[in-house]
Amino acid sequence: MEKKIIAIIGATGAQGGGLARAIAADPNGGFAARALTRKPDSDKARELAAKGAEVVAADLDDFESLRKGFTGAHGVFCVTNFWEHFSPEKEMVQAKTQAEACKAAGVKHVIWSTLEDTRIRVPLSDARMPTLKEKYKVPHFDAKGESDNAFRAAGVPTTFLLTSFYWDNLIHFGMGPKPGPDGKLAFVLPMGDKKLPGIAADDIGKCAYGIFKRGKEFIGKTVGIAGEHLTGAQMAEALSKSLGRPVSHGAVTPEVYRTFGFPGADDLGNMFQYKRDFESEFCGARDLSVARALNPELQTFAQWLQVNQARIPTS
Ligand SMILES: NC(=O)c1ccc[n+]([C@@H]2O[C@H](COP(=O)([O-])OP(=O)(O)OC[C@H]3O[C@@H](n4cnc5c(N)ncnc54)[C@H](OP(=O)(O)O)[C@@H]3O)[C@@H](O)[C@H]2O)c1
């Protein structure tokens, strides 16, 4: 039987890469990966080709390249990378371009990697967190949540995938435990005693694969996924065990976090505050059993640490 093609935006990245690897790991699953990238000659693109993916040049800023890249595909995984440009407006344009290209290509199932529009619960007039870039509370969330409308407006059969904080941020995003002036390690998480839904980034793509496999039942639905919901203290305890040295929870406030000064600190400070202040809604939207049903290999934080602890910078 001919395999159903899944065209993957971000196939050289964390989310799409997980999906491409999940498809490659299941050669009899009935699906084939088409990896869309701006750089078909990159090492990451070559790795995907070596695993059997078809590699196709495409750019989110070029509708025609997406339309071509999506043509003949059964499914498309859509994602945007806010952190490449820090522009919510650009992210929304790229989401709309993907939605319209899916429509033009007649795709049967789209997964849009989204997040909450925080302004629904915290309107711009709400002073408990600052308004950023004039129109947003958490720009990299709000732009994705607002973009859900682009997929609805295009009328494409979409599953809205609510992702979670990657534990990989401890490796790649400077969020690992840091030594204080006393040399002792602290893991900063500005959420007090509230729980953060987290996930191994690779598991997002595996869950997306589960959604494509089950197909129709998820069209038009929002599906939230996480590997575990953990407090900062619980994460610090797991880090202590795994690293073999004490790690405390650096329980700063979101107000302090926003002043840290690195690019996006204000956005992330607001994000953590939102997750803290709406813990039950945010965790409730990310049912662990749903994620595990989609991806039976779903990792816990301890399992992820077992594999990755040596990659976490601690200096
Ligand atoms: N870090 C977290 O905890 C977390 C949690 C939830 C959601 N997110 C969201 O995840 C998104 C990023 O996804 P990721 O982490 O999977 O990405 P990533 O690993 O940072 O890689 C970015 C991917 O996006 C592709 N890309 C970017 N701009 C493109 C363009 N103009 N045209 C075509 N492809 C483009 C890149 O492809 P090429 O370079 O090969 O073209 C690459 O594959 C962000 O928007 C972020 O807000 C992050």
Side-chain angles (χ1 to χ4, degrees):
M1 214 175 77
E2 209 164 294
K3 290 188 173 181
K4 290 178 177 169
I5 295 169
I6 304 294
I8 307 172
I9 299 294
T12 58
Q15 297 189 28
L19 173 57
R21 286 185 287 278
I23 293 173
D26 186 16
N28 300 318
F31 291 89
R34 180 185 290 167
L36 274 63
T37 169
R38 290 164 295 181
K39 297 165 262 175
D41 292 330
S42 69
D43 290 348
K44 285 184 176 171
R46 284 175 199 275
E47 268 172 45
L48 293 167
K51 287 194 164 77
E54 176 194 1
V55 174
V56 170
D59 191 323
L60 293 178
D61 299 327
D62 174 356
F63 170 85
E64 199 46 32
S65 73
L66 294 183
R67 191 193 59 75
K68 277 193 199 142
F70 295 167
T71 296
H74 163 85
V76 175
F77 182 78
C78 294
V79 66
T80 45
N81 186 13
F82 177 86
W83 302 109
E84 187 169 311
H85 46 71
F86 291 79
S87 164
E89 285 79 18
K90 180 161 178 151
E91 193 166 28
M92 287 190 284
V93 170
Q94 291 183 334
K96 187 164 181 269
T97 309
Q98 291 178 82
E100 290 174 352
C102 287
K103 177 74 177 173
V107 170
K108 304 277 187 304
H109 191 177
V110 179
I111 297 180
W112 161 231
S113 175
T114 190
L115 289 164
E116 284 86 346
D117 184 339
T118 64
R119 298 165 298 183
I120 294 168
R121 294 197 176 98
V122 190
L124 296 186
S125 57
D126 190 325
R128 86 185 100 165
M129 60 175 76
T131 293
L132 303 176
K133 299 180 193 278
E134 293 174 14
K135 285 190 262 179
Y136 308 94
K137 287 298 186 184
V138 183
H140 79 285
F141 268 55
D142 300 345
K144 292 182 181 68
E146 188 171 329
S147 295
D148 291 0
N149 293 329
F151 288 86
R152 292 196 184 98
V156 284
T158 307
T159 303
F160 301 90
L161 181 64
L162 284 174
T163 60
S164 287
F165 177 91
Y166 311 168
W167 293 320
D168 307 67
N169 292 335
L170 275 61
I171 303 171
H172 305 296
F173 222 76
M175 291 188 181
K178 303 263 179 332
D182 56 1
K184 288 188 183 150
L185 290 177
F187 168 63
V188 170
L189 191 70
M191 291 178 56
D193 62 356
K194 304 299 184 201
K195 289 185 173 167
L196 170 71
I199 194 163
D202 210 47
D203 278 333
I204 296 176
K206 289 184 182 178
C207 290
Y209 183 47
I211 292 171
F212 279 126
K213 279 198 292 189
R214 283 169 59 182
K216 275 196 184 123
E217 67 182 285
F218 286 111
I219 288 175
K221 302 270 161 57
T222 296
V223 181
I225 53 169
E228 262 188 301
H229 303 154
L230 296 171
T231 63
Q234 289 170 325
M235 289 181 75
E237 193 187 331
L239 282 161
S240 303
K241 275 192 196 139
S242 169
L243 299 175
R245 57 191 279 206
V247 178
S248 62
H249 173 210
V252 301
T253 62
E255 287 77 10
V256 169
Y257 196 94
R258 284 192 280 269
T259 67
F260 279 176
F262 63 83
D266 49 0
D267 187 329
L268 292 174
N270 282 7
M271 174 193 81
F272 284 123
Q273 183 172 341
Y274 180 82
K275 292 178 184 185
R276 181 196 71 182
D277 294 352
F278 298 95
E279 181 200 32
S280 67
E281 294 88 342
F282 198 80
C283 289
R286 289 161 175 78
D287 187 329
L288 306 181
S289 62
V290 169
R292 194 165 298 284
L294 290 168
N295 165 23
E297 294 168 5
L298 188 77
Q299 295 167 73
T300 61
F301 187 46
Q303 287 169 327
W304 179 86
L305 280 172
Q306 234 171 17
V307 180
N308 291 287
Q309 56 93 0
R311 301 168 66 213
I312 300 174
T314 51
S315 53

